[in-house]
Amino acid sequence: TTAEHRIRRDDKIMPKTRPRGVGVNVAGFIAGRLLTMWPLPALLQGVRPEWVTLVLIYWCMALPYRIGIGWAWLAGLMLDVSTGSLLGQHALALSIVAFLTLKLHQRIRIFPLMQQGFAILVLVAMAQLINLWISGIINTPPRSWTYWLPSLISAMLWPWLFVVMRGTRRHFRVK
């Protein structure tokens, strides 16, 4: 083959490889956005999990060398546009969550799933705290303590979401 298709690594000629599964990563974020926008009855509207944040945390833990702050920023902008919130609000929150997840992913990964749920609770609550701070600055704060319920629901759903996303990642051999 030609020289363009090969690279030199440790004195060995090896074919170039493309990262596998970028489509699976994108599909995960799109699914998270669609679940965020899915219509729910008014009674359940306040307990909707933070799907995009959960997907971001999973991918940052599973593929820390590929999914990072840039992906978080884009997912946040996508969420800002689709929910009609202040442009950059979710992008900032998700970028900070991605940064913390990337810094702590090796520690979080060794925990059992139920203990990981506590770390997820803290990370999702931090994203909500940043969104609350920004909402306070633009004078639209929430009116009730139920604002924090999505963090709790997200932490309780984490074990099942983790198993589903890990199965998807293994099925499509995303590395």
Side-chain angles (χ1 to χ4, degrees):
T1 62
T2 63
E4 300 98 38
H5 295 345
R6 295 187 175 265
I7 56 174
R8 189 169 190 87
R9 288 190 195 153
D10 299 330
D11 296 330
K12 295 179 183 177
I13 303 294
M14 301 184 73
K16 283 186 181 179
T17 58
R18 291 185 183 155
R20 292 187 58 159
V22 174
V24 176
N25 300 133
V26 171
F29 283 111
I30 290 172
R33 186 184 68 85
L34 290 175
L35 286 170
T36 299
M37 296 179 61
W38 193 270
L40 289 177
L43 181 64
L44 297 176
Q45 200 68 283
V47 296
R48 180 188 308 269
E50 296 287 331
W51 292 110
V52 175
T53 308
L54 290 172
V55 169
L56 174 69
I57 291 170
Y58 175 80
W59 286 123
C60 283
M61 282 178 36
L63 304 170
Y65 52 88
R66 184 189 306 172
I67 304 297
I69 297 170
W71 279 80
W73 184 261
L74 289 175
L77 286 178
M78 179 180 68
L79 194 58
D80 289 331
V81 169
S82 63
T83 60
S85 61
L86 184 65
L87 192 62
Q89 178 176 347
H90 288 97
L92 174 65
L94 290 180
S95 296
I96 292 171
V97 167
F99 172 77
L100 291 172
T101 304
L102 291 171
K103 286 293 181 188
L104 300 172
H105 80 275
Q106 291 178 337
R107 294 179 186 170
I108 296 171
R109 286 171 70 168
I110 63 172
F111 295 150
L113 285 179
M114 297 308 271
Q115 287 180 345
Q116 282 182 14
F118 290 115
I120 301 308
L121 174 69
V122 171
L123 289 169
V124 173
M126 183 170 297
Q128 283 193 284
L129 181 63
I130 293 166
N131 285 324
L132 178 66
W133 175 62
I134 294 171
S135 296
I137 289 173
I138 61 173
N139 213 10
T140 58
R143 307 233 184 261
S144 171
W145 63 271
T146 58
Y147 174 78
W148 299 102
L149 283 177
S151 297
L152 185 62
I153 300 298
S154 296
M156 291 188 318
L157 286 176
W158 174 254
W160 291 282
L161 181 73
F162 180 88
V163 169
V164 168
M165 291 198 64
R166 183 180 58 188
T168 303
R169 182 173 57 90
R170 288 179 177 171
H171 176 74
F172 289 104
R173 296 184 180 110
V174 178
K175 296 179 180 176

